[in-house]
Amino acid sequence: MQTWDTDRYQIQHDFVWRYGEGLLPLLAAQPGEHILDLGCGPGQLTRQIADQGASVMGIDAAPNMVAPAQRNFPVLIFCLADARDFKVTAPCDAVFSNATLHWVTDPTAAARAIFRALKPEGRFVTEFGGQGNVQTITAAVDAAMTQAGLSAGSFPWYFPTLAEYVALLDQARFEVTFAQLYDRPTPLKGEDGLANWVRMFCGGALSDQPMATQEDVLHQVQDRVRSRLYRDGQWWADYRRLRIVALRPQ
């Protein structure tokens, strides 16, 4: 289970939900609809869905995401639940999920749980990391750790090809109506933006090491990718995203 420094996540990595705003027009929430925000994080997108008049509930597997979401937006409902086996009390008009499903390494179980949560003709709208996502960064982390005499990083992510994920949804009985894999270079805040990104999202690969070793690896990572990911005084993460809309057939 990924552990989260929620304050740092909200301050330094707010791009996660800000980019997720671009997914909301595909969701097209309607007043009175019942919508589930799967992997709601601190709840900013859950609130925006509610602002469109929908009845929305956010769920997340991380207690230290659910707690600040409830503090941030006390009039909304947030619950602790796992994407692989969550249940709803009544079927939803839509399940929305931004930047979450690449953390779920049993995607088949997640697809089945989402299918069960939807009404007939209910829709599933998601965006998450696709094939090649942050490949430049993770290759540099692996190389830097190996050079430091450590085991290469173990990254808990699922980054499927577009064809692979569409086939998985087809097997779960969804009808895919929109599918896109695209490059989305993402700016990182500050001169330490890349190091902070690695600490936040790859922290498990380094967390057991002494601080001096961690800092050495982070400096090596920056040196290895600077020519590709540092431009005009700005670090960039080499994101590639899958964007999907699928329906539960009648």
Side-chain angles (χ1 to χ4, degrees):
M1 176 72 70
Q2 170 78 2
T3 57
W4 298 100
D5 180 335
T6 313
D7 291 337
R8 178 180 290 179
Y9 181 89
Q10 294 188 83
I11 295 169
Q12 296 176 346
H13 303 99
D14 58 341
F15 65 82
V16 174
W17 68 265
R18 293 190 187 280
Y19 274 100
E21 290 176 330
L23 195 60
L24 294 177
L26 283 179
L27 176 65
Q30 300 299 309
E33 285 191 318
H34 292 272
I35 296 177
L36 181 75
D37 183 3
L38 173 60
C40 61
Q44 288 88 353
L45 294 177
T46 319
R47 179 193 60 79
Q48 292 191 38
I49 295 168
D51 287 347
Q52 295 173 1
S55 174
V56 59
M57 178 175 70
I59 65 172
D60 203 291
N64 54 349
M65 286 294 190
V66 171
Q70 196 68 76
R71 289 196 301 270
N72 290 341
F73 309 107
V75 300
L76 301 180
I77 298 172
F78 297 94
C79 297
L80 191 65
D82 191 309
R84 297 169 296 182
D85 59 8
F86 71 91
K87 296 177 175 62
V88 294
T89 56
C92 301
D93 294 288
V95 173
F96 173 86
S97 184
N98 174 63
T100 294
L101 292 175
H102 50 252
W103 293 101
V104 181
T105 53
D106 188 349
T108 298
R112 290 172 177 165
I114 293 165
F115 188 91
R116 290 192 299 267
L118 288 169
K119 297 177 180 178
E121 299 188 347
R123 60 204 187 276
F124 169 42
V125 179
T126 186
E127 182 173 297
F128 62 99
Q131 182 187 37
N133 191 57
V134 295
Q135 185 171 301
T136 302
I137 297 174
T138 53
V141 172
D142 279 345
M145 292 184 69
T146 299
Q147 184 171 326
L150 307 173
S151 299
S154 176
F155 305 113
W157 299 321
Y158 165 67
F159 294 147
T161 66
L162 186 147
E164 177 185 351
Y165 197 66
V166 168
L168 183 148
L169 292 180
D170 183 66
Q171 291 172 1
R173 296 184 288 156
F174 279 99
E175 178 183 323
V176 176
T177 61
F178 177 84
Q180 180 186 24
L181 175 64
Y182 69 101
D183 293 329
R184 198 201 73 193
T186 300
L188 304 175
K189 291 183 177 180
E191 187 61 32
D192 294 329
L194 179 65
N196 289 333
W197 189 96
V198 174
R199 290 187 185 100
M200 175 61 66
F201 298 108
C202 307
L206 289 171
S207 58
D208 293 337
Q209 303 303 321
M211 187 58 65
T213 301
Q214 294 185 37
E215 292 300 319
D216 180 58
V217 168
L218 290 170
H219 285 304
Q220 287 190 48
V221 170
Q222 292 175 110
D223 290 344
R224 288 175 181 275
V225 304
R226 185 174 295 273
S227 63
R228 298 181 62 183
L229 300 182
Y230 191 80
R231 307 188 289 276
D232 302 321
Q234 176 80 66
W235 285 106
W236 295 78
D238 56 324
Y239 275 41
R240 299 190 83 212
R241 311 309 271 180
L242 263 179
R243 184 172 280 194
I244 301 285
V245 178
L247 302 177
R248 173 173 176 160
Q250 180 65 263

